[in-house]
């Protein structure tokens, strides 16, 4: 039962263009969403997050959009740079029991930015 | 300082060995997590400690035993592992406000 899905396993984009990574979730209890960048054999690096009370959050080249009714979020990277090439995971968080947050990760999208 | 430190970075162990993974953070975070990641898969939640108490155990086999000696330290004790337990083991701590999960660089474990 994959509650958080990234339907595109891979994406190739030309340098300077926009990269759009998508993520869908099924559990309406999720109230916080995050994007992480990951290299092999390393820990995920936090990029940007959004609360369920917002529909957009921007930080430099990264913008996250949330569509609660569609249970969909997306990460836009503009302009894309070769150094952005990595695997990107979305994650969704819900409160569990006595205030503990449970984070579920999506299946990942490998982004390749071509020079 | 947003650093979560994991040791060792690499570990090779036999199926009869006992070993421990260590995770440390000095950011004052009160929740710490263990995740397991196999190649080409997402990180999979194993355990969550909140205020030094185990609050989530995702039905992890007993050959994995977590321990939280204090608010800065999280251990994962390993005993009688199987080759299929070979994976990258990730520790994370929860920063507030903002519910951001900060990860360490992981321990790459190989069970022979």
């Amino acid at each position: 039962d994959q509650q958080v899905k990234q339907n595109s396993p891979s994406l190739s984009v030309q340098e300077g263009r926009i990269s759009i990574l998508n993520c869908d979730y099924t559990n309406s209890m999720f109230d916080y969403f995050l994007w992480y960048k990951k290299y092999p054999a390393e820990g995920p690096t936090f990029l940007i997050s959004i609360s369920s009370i917002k529909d957009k959050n921007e930080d430099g080249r990264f913008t996250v959009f949330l569509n609660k009714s569609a249970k969909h979020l997306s990460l836009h990277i503009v302009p894309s740079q070769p150094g952005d090439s990595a695997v990107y995971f979305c994650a969704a968080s819900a409160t569990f029991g006595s205030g503990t947050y449970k984070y579920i990760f999506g299946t990942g999208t490998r982004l390749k930015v071509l020079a | 300082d947003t650093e979560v430190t994991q040791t060792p970075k690499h570990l090779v162990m036999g199926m009869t060995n006992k070993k421990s993974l260590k995770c440390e953070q000095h950011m004052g975070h009160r929740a710490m997590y263990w995740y397991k990641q196999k190649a080409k898969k997402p990180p999979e939640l194993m355990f969550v400690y909140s205020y030094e108490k185990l609050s989530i155990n995702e039905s992890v086999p007993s050959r994995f035993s977590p321990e939280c000696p204090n608010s800065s330290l999280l251990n994962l004790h390993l005993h009688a592992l199987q080759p299929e337990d070979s994976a990258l083991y990730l520790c994370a701590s929860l920063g507030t406000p903002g519910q951001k999960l900060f990860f360490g660089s992981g321990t790459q474990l190989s069970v022979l």
Side-chain angles (χ1 to χ4, degrees), chain A residues 31-61:
Chain A
D31 60 2
Y32 200 77
F33 304 89
L34 309 92
W35 283 95
Y36 287 86
K37 177 179 179 180
K38 191 177 183 305
Y39 297 109
E42 292 185 11
T45 302
F46 170 79
L47 284 174
I48 192 169
S49 60
I50 188 167
S51 164
S52 59
I53 62 173
K54 295 187 173 182
D55 55 18
K56 178 182 175 181
N57 188 28
E58 196 170 350
D59 184 1
R61 296 187 299 116

mmCIF file of all heavy atoms in Angstrom, chain A residues 31-61:
data_model
loop_
_atom_site.group_PDB
_atom_site.id
_atom_site.type_symbol
_atom_site.label_atom_id
_atom_site.label_comp_id
_atom_site.label_asym_id
_atom_site.label_seq_id
_atom_site.Cartn_x
_atom_site.Cartn_y
_atom_site.Cartn_z
ATOM 1 N N ASP A 31 -0.534 16.315 6.590
ATOM 2 C CA ASP A 31 -0.702 17.761 6.728
ATOM 3 C C ASP A 31 0.581 18.548 6.497
ATOM 4 O O ASP A 31 0.602 19.771 6.669
ATOM 5 C CB ASP A 31 -1.278 18.100 8.106
ATOM 6 C CG ASP A 31 -0.381 17.626 9.252
ATOM 7 O OD1 ASP A 31 0.710 17.076 8.982
ATOM 8 O OD2 ASP A 31 -0.774 17.786 10.411
ATOM 9 N N TYR A 32 1.632 17.862 6.118
ATOM 10 C CA TYR A 32 2.896 18.558 5.861
ATOM 11 C C TYR A 32 3.645 17.756 4.826
ATOM 12 O O TYR A 32 3.673 16.521 4.888
ATOM 13 C CB TYR A 32 3.708 18.664 7.158
ATOM 14 C CG TYR A 32 4.768 19.725 7.137
ATOM 15 C CD1 TYR A 32 4.440 21.063 7.293
ATOM 16 C CD2 TYR A 32 6.111 19.390 6.968
ATOM 17 C CE1 TYR A 32 5.403 22.041 7.284
ATOM 18 C CE2 TYR A 32 7.084 20.360 6.964
ATOM 19 C CZ TYR A 32 6.723 21.683 7.120
ATOM 20 O OH TYR A 32 7.686 22.666 7.109
ATOM 21 N N PHE A 33 4.234 18.475 3.858
ATOM 22 C CA PHE A 33 4.873 17.789 2.731
ATOM 23 C C PHE A 33 6.267 18.371 2.517
ATOM 24 O O PHE A 33 6.481 19.577 2.658
ATOM 25 C CB PHE A 33 4.016 17.966 1.470
ATOM 26 C CG PHE A 33 2.609 17.482 1.649
ATOM 27 C CD1 PHE A 33 1.623 18.340 2.126
ATOM 28 C CD2 PHE A 33 2.269 16.159 1.379
ATOM 29 C CE1 PHE A 33 0.326 17.900 2.328
ATOM 30 C CE2 PHE A 33 0.980 15.709 1.565
ATOM 31 C CZ PHE A 33 0.006 16.570 2.041
ATOM 32 N N LEU A 34 7.198 17.490 2.162
ATOM 33 C CA LEU A 34 8.584 17.902 2.023
ATOM 34 C C LEU A 34 9.167 17.305 0.745
ATOM 35 O O LEU A 34 8.714 16.256 0.267
ATOM 36 C CB LEU A 34 9.420 17.409 3.209
ATOM 37 C CG LEU A 34 8.898 17.704 4.624
ATOM 38 C CD1 LEU A 34 8.032 16.556 5.144
ATOM 39 C CD2 LEU A 34 10.051 17.914 5.584
ATOM 40 N N TRP A 35 10.176 17.957 0.222
ATOM 41 C CA TRP A 35 10.967 17.417 -0.886
ATOM 42 C C TRP A 35 12.416 17.274 -0.448
ATOM 43 O O TRP A 35 12.968 18.167 0.207
ATOM 44 C CB TRP A 35 10.899 18.331 -2.101
ATOM 45 C CG TRP A 35 9.617 18.227 -2.859
ATOM 46 C CD1 TRP A 35 8.512 19.020 -2.730
ATOM 47 C CD2 TRP A 35 9.305 17.268 -3.872
ATOM 48 N NE1 TRP A 35 7.528 18.618 -3.591
ATOM 49 C CE2 TRP A 35 7.992 17.554 -4.316
ATOM 50 C CE3 TRP A 35 9.993 16.207 -4.467
ATOM 51 C CZ2 TRP A 35 7.354 16.801 -5.312
ATOM 52 C CZ3 TRP A 35 9.370 15.469 -5.457
ATOM 53 C CH2 TRP A 35 8.055 15.769 -5.873
ATOM 54 N N TYR A 36 13.007 16.139 -0.826
ATOM 55 C CA TYR A 36 14.391 15.850 -0.511
ATOM 56 C C TYR A 36 15.138 15.491 -1.784
ATOM 57 O O TYR A 36 14.576 14.916 -2.723
ATOM 58 C CB TYR A 36 14.499 14.666 0.460
ATOM 59 C CG TYR A 36 14.091 14.998 1.879
ATOM 60 C CD1 TYR A 36 12.756 14.927 2.269
ATOM 61 C CD2 TYR A 36 15.039 15.374 2.817
ATOM 62 C CE1 TYR A 36 12.384 15.237 3.566
ATOM 63 C CE2 TYR A 36 14.675 15.673 4.121
ATOM 64 C CZ TYR A 36 13.355 15.604 4.480
ATOM 65 O OH TYR A 36 12.989 15.907 5.766
ATOM 66 N N LYS A 37 16.417 15.800 -1.776
ATOM 67 C CA LYS A 37 17.330 15.436 -2.854
ATOM 68 C C LYS A 37 18.279 14.397 -2.300
ATOM 69 O O LYS A 37 18.752 14.524 -1.164
ATOM 70 C CB LYS A 37 18.097 16.692 -3.266
ATOM 71 C CG LYS A 37 19.153 16.547 -4.324
ATOM 72 C CD LYS A 37 19.773 17.920 -4.582
ATOM 73 C CE LYS A 37 20.864 17.859 -5.603
ATOM 74 N NZ LYS A 37 21.465 19.209 -5.840
ATOM 75 N N LYS A 38 18.575 13.364 -3.096
ATOM 76 C CA LYS A 38 19.421 12.302 -2.567
ATOM 77 C C LYS A 38 20.415 11.797 -3.601
ATOM 78 O O LYS A 38 20.070 11.552 -4.761
ATOM 79 C CB LYS A 38 18.555 11.138 -2.068
ATOM 80 C CG LYS A 38 19.348 10.120 -1.268
ATOM 81 C CD LYS A 38 18.471 9.019 -0.731
ATOM 82 C CE LYS A 38 19.274 8.054 0.120
ATOM 83 N NZ LYS A 38 20.435 7.480 -0.566
ATOM 84 N N TYR A 39 21.651 11.601 -3.130
ATOM 85 C CA TYR A 39 22.688 10.935 -3.912
ATOM 86 C C TYR A 39 22.868 9.525 -3.363
ATOM 87 O O TYR A 39 22.572 9.271 -2.187
ATOM 88 C CB TYR A 39 24.001 11.703 -3.837
ATOM 89 C CG TYR A 39 23.933 13.098 -4.432
ATOM 90 C CD1 TYR A 39 23.968 14.225 -3.610
ATOM 91 C CD2 TYR A 39 23.816 13.280 -5.806
ATOM 92 C CE1 TYR A 39 23.896 15.491 -4.152
ATOM 93 C CE2 TYR A 39 23.738 14.550 -6.349
ATOM 94 C CZ TYR A 39 23.777 15.651 -5.517
ATOM 95 O OH TYR A 39 23.704 16.906 -6.059
ATOM 96 N N PRO A 40 23.369 8.593 -4.185
ATOM 97 C CA PRO A 40 23.556 7.209 -3.723
ATOM 98 C C PRO A 40 24.429 7.140 -2.478
ATOM 99 O O PRO A 40 25.409 7.874 -2.356
ATOM 100 C CB PRO A 40 24.232 6.528 -4.921
ATOM 101 C CG PRO A 40 23.839 7.348 -6.097
ATOM 102 C CD PRO A 40 23.731 8.752 -5.598
ATOM 103 N N ALA A 41 24.069 6.277 -1.557
ATOM 104 C CA ALA A 41 24.831 6.006 -0.333
ATOM 105 C C ALA A 41 25.003 7.251 0.539
ATOM 106 O O ALA A 41 25.957 7.326 1.338
ATOM 107 C CB ALA A 41 26.199 5.397 -0.662
ATOM 108 N N GLU A 42 24.111 8.221 0.394
ATOM 109 C CA GLU A 42 24.120 9.396 1.271
ATOM 110 C C GLU A 42 22.727 9.598 1.841
ATOM 111 O O GLU A 42 21.739 9.076 1.315
ATOM 112 C CB GLU A 42 24.528 10.660 0.504
ATOM 113 C CG GLU A 42 25.969 10.668 0.060
ATOM 114 C CD GLU A 42 26.350 11.991 -0.594
ATOM 115 O OE1 GLU A 42 25.561 12.956 -0.506
ATOM 116 O OE2 GLU A 42 27.428 12.046 -1.194
ATOM 117 N N GLY A 43 22.627 10.385 2.905
ATOM 118 C CA GLY A 43 21.331 10.694 3.457
ATOM 119 C C GLY A 43 20.607 11.728 2.612
ATOM 120 O O GLY A 43 21.244 12.532 1.920
ATOM 121 N N PRO A 44 19.271 11.733 2.635
ATOM 122 C CA PRO A 44 18.506 12.750 1.904
ATOM 123 C C PRO A 44 18.785 14.144 2.455
ATOM 124 O O PRO A 44 18.939 14.321 3.667
ATOM 125 C CB PRO A 44 17.046 12.344 2.166
ATOM 126 C CG PRO A 44 17.093 10.913 2.575
ATOM 127 C CD PRO A 44 18.389 10.745 3.291
ATOM 128 N N THR A 45 18.833 15.110 1.548
ATOM 129 C CA THR A 45 19.035 16.507 1.921
ATOM 130 C C THR A 45 17.720 17.259 1.746
ATOM 131 O O THR A 45 17.124 17.235 0.674
ATOM 132 C CB THR A 45 20.113 17.152 1.030
ATOM 133 O OG1 THR A 45 21.326 16.414 1.160
ATOM 134 C CG2 THR A 45 20.362 18.599 1.429
ATOM 135 N N PHE A 46 17.286 17.952 2.795
ATOM 136 C CA PHE A 46 16.037 18.697 2.751
ATOM 137 C C PHE A 46 16.133 19.855 1.748
ATOM 138 O O PHE A 46 17.123 20.581 1.704
ATOM 139 C CB PHE A 46 15.706 19.253 4.143
ATOM 140 C CG PHE A 46 14.573 20.223 4.157
ATOM 141 C CD1 PHE A 46 13.269 19.767 4.107
ATOM 142 C CD2 PHE A 46 14.809 21.586 4.200
ATOM 143 C CE1 PHE A 46 12.220 20.663 4.114
ATOM 144 C CE2 PHE A 46 13.764 22.489 4.206
ATOM 145 C CZ PHE A 46 12.465 22.015 4.160
ATOM 146 N N LEU A 47 15.072 20.003 0.934
ATOM 147 C CA LEU A 47 15.033 21.088 -0.048
ATOM 148 C C LEU A 47 14.018 22.155 0.322
ATOM 149 O O LEU A 47 14.337 23.327 0.466
ATOM 150 C CB LEU A 47 14.672 20.535 -1.425
ATOM 151 C CG LEU A 47 15.753 19.801 -2.206
ATOM 152 C CD1 LEU A 47 15.157 19.211 -3.470
ATOM 153 C CD2 LEU A 47 16.915 20.712 -2.534
ATOM 154 N N ILE A 48 12.764 21.734 0.447
ATOM 155 C CA ILE A 48 11.683 22.692 0.632
ATOM 156 C C ILE A 48 10.477 21.939 1.180
ATOM 157 O O ILE A 48 10.350 20.737 0.980
ATOM 158 C CB ILE A 48 11.347 23.409 -0.707
ATOM 159 C CG1 ILE A 48 10.440 24.626 -0.485
ATOM 160 C CG2 ILE A 48 10.772 22.431 -1.725
ATOM 161 C CD1 ILE A 48 10.303 25.506 -1.733
ATOM 162 N N SER A 49 9.612 22.662 1.875
ATOM 163 C CA SER A 49 8.436 22.010 2.452
ATOM 164 C C SER A 49 7.223 22.920 2.317
ATOM 165 O O SER A 49 7.341 24.099 1.979
ATOM 166 C CB SER A 49 8.689 21.681 3.925
ATOM 167 O OG SER A 49 8.971 22.875 4.659
ATOM 168 N N ILE A 50 6.052 22.338 2.597
ATOM 169 C CA ILE A 50 4.823 23.119 2.546
ATOM 170 C C ILE A 50 3.815 22.537 3.512
ATOM 171 O O ILE A 50 3.689 21.308 3.634
ATOM 172 C CB ILE A 50 4.255 23.178 1.099
ATOM 173 C CG1 ILE A 50 3.079 24.151 1.018
ATOM 174 C CG2 ILE A 50 3.853 21.788 0.610
ATOM 175 C CD1 ILE A 50 2.683 24.489 -0.425
ATOM 176 N N SER A 51 3.136 23.409 4.207
ATOM 177 C CA SER A 51 2.067 22.993 5.098
ATOM 178 C C SER A 51 0.776 22.843 4.296
ATOM 179 O O SER A 51 0.594 23.500 3.276
ATOM 180 C CB SER A 51 1.889 24.046 6.197
ATOM 181 O OG SER A 51 0.659 23.887 6.845
ATOM 182 N N SER A 52 -0.122 22.012 4.808
ATOM 183 C CA SER A 52 -1.369 21.782 4.079
ATOM 184 C C SER A 52 -2.281 23.005 4.054
ATOM 185 O O SER A 52 -3.267 23.025 3.313
ATOM 186 C CB SER A 52 -2.119 20.596 4.694
ATOM 187 O OG SER A 52 -2.411 20.853 6.047
ATOM 188 N N ILE A 53 -1.957 24.035 4.848
ATOM 189 C CA ILE A 53 -2.805 25.235 4.836
ATOM 190 C C ILE A 53 -2.382 26.209 3.741
ATOM 191 O O ILE A 53 -3.014 27.238 3.539
ATOM 192 C CB ILE A 53 -2.797 25.945 6.205
ATOM 193 C CG1 ILE A 53 -1.387 26.421 6.577
ATOM 194 C CG2 ILE A 53 -3.357 25.033 7.286
ATOM 195 C CD1 ILE A 53 -1.353 27.285 7.837
ATOM 196 N N LYS A 54 -1.306 25.863 3.039
ATOM 197 C CA LYS A 54 -0.822 26.715 1.953
ATOM 198 C C LYS A 54 -0.944 25.970 0.631
ATOM 199 O O LYS A 54 -1.096 24.746 0.589
ATOM 200 C CB LYS A 54 0.639 27.104 2.184
ATOM 201 C CG LYS A 54 0.857 27.975 3.410
ATOM 202 C CD LYS A 54 2.290 28.453 3.463
ATOM 203 C CE LYS A 54 2.468 29.456 4.586
ATOM 204 N NZ LYS A 54 3.842 29.986 4.645
ATOM 205 N N ASP A 55 -0.861 26.722 -0.477
ATOM 206 C CA ASP A 55 -0.856 26.049 -1.768
ATOM 207 C C ASP A 55 0.437 26.301 -2.546
ATOM 208 O O ASP A 55 0.637 25.707 -3.616
ATOM 209 C CB ASP A 55 -2.076 26.453 -2.607
ATOM 210 C CG ASP A 55 -2.193 27.956 -2.773
ATOM 211 O OD1 ASP A 55 -1.200 28.667 -2.549
ATOM 212 O OD2 ASP A 55 -3.298 28.417 -3.123
ATOM 213 N N LYS A 56 1.303 27.125 -2.000
ATOM 214 C CA LYS A 56 2.567 27.414 -2.696
ATOM 215 C C LYS A 56 3.615 27.856 -1.686
ATOM 216 O O LYS A 56 3.319 28.585 -0.735
ATOM 217 C CB LYS A 56 2.332 28.518 -3.726
ATOM 218 C CG LYS A 56 3.566 28.960 -4.490
ATOM 219 C CD LYS A 56 3.230 30.099 -5.453
ATOM 220 C CE LYS A 56 4.458 30.642 -6.141
ATOM 221 N NZ LYS A 56 4.125 31.768 -7.048
ATOM 222 N N ASN A 57 4.846 27.401 -1.916
ATOM 223 C CA ASN A 57 5.971 27.881 -1.127
ATOM 224 C C ASN A 57 7.182 27.967 -2.039
ATOM 225 O O ASN A 57 7.428 27.069 -2.839
ATOM 226 C CB ASN A 57 6.259 26.953 0.056
ATOM 227 C CG ASN A 57 7.296 27.528 1.003
ATOM 228 O OD1 ASN A 57 7.437 28.747 1.105
ATOM 229 N ND2 ASN A 57 8.016 26.672 1.695
ATOM 230 N N GLU A 58 7.915 29.075 -1.918
ATOM 231 C CA GLU A 58 9.018 29.339 -2.827
ATOM 232 C C GLU A 58 10.305 29.579 -2.051
ATOM 233 O O GLU A 58 10.299 30.240 -1.007
ATOM 234 C CB GLU A 58 8.668 30.592 -3.641
ATOM 235 C CG GLU A 58 9.473 30.820 -4.875
ATOM 236 C CD GLU A 58 8.874 31.937 -5.723
ATOM 237 O OE1 GLU A 58 7.749 32.382 -5.431
ATOM 238 O OE2 GLU A 58 9.542 32.368 -6.664
ATOM 239 N N ASP A 59 11.407 29.029 -2.560
ATOM 240 C CA ASP A 59 12.709 29.257 -1.942
ATOM 241 C C ASP A 59 13.759 29.236 -3.044
ATOM 242 O O ASP A 59 14.180 28.177 -3.490
ATOM 243 C CB ASP A 59 13.007 28.180 -0.898
ATOM 244 C CG ASP A 59 14.305 28.429 -0.149
ATOM 245 O OD1 ASP A 59 14.980 29.452 -0.415
ATOM 246 O OD2 ASP A 59 14.668 27.609 0.713
ATOM 247 N N GLY A 60 14.132 30.427 -3.484
ATOM 248 C CA GLY A 60 15.119 30.520 -4.554
ATOM 249 C C GLY A 60 14.616 29.891 -5.845
ATOM 250 O O GLY A 60 13.556 30.241 -6.355
ATOM 251 N N ARG A 61 15.375 28.931 -6.360
ATOM 252 C CA ARG A 61 14.991 28.271 -7.615
ATOM 253 C C ARG A 61 13.902 27.209 -7.431
ATOM 254 O O ARG A 61 13.421 26.645 -8.406
ATOM 255 C CB ARG A 61 16.227 27.607 -8.242
ATOM 256 C CG ARG A 61 17.317 28.590 -8.663
ATOM 257 C CD ARG A 61 18.443 27.893 -9.430
ATOM 258 N NE ARG A 61 19.112 26.872 -8.629
ATOM 259 C CZ ARG A 61 19.108 25.579 -8.917
ATOM 260 N NH1 ARG A 61 18.446 25.124 -9.967
ATOM 261 N NH2 ARG A 61 19.757 24.726 -8.146
#
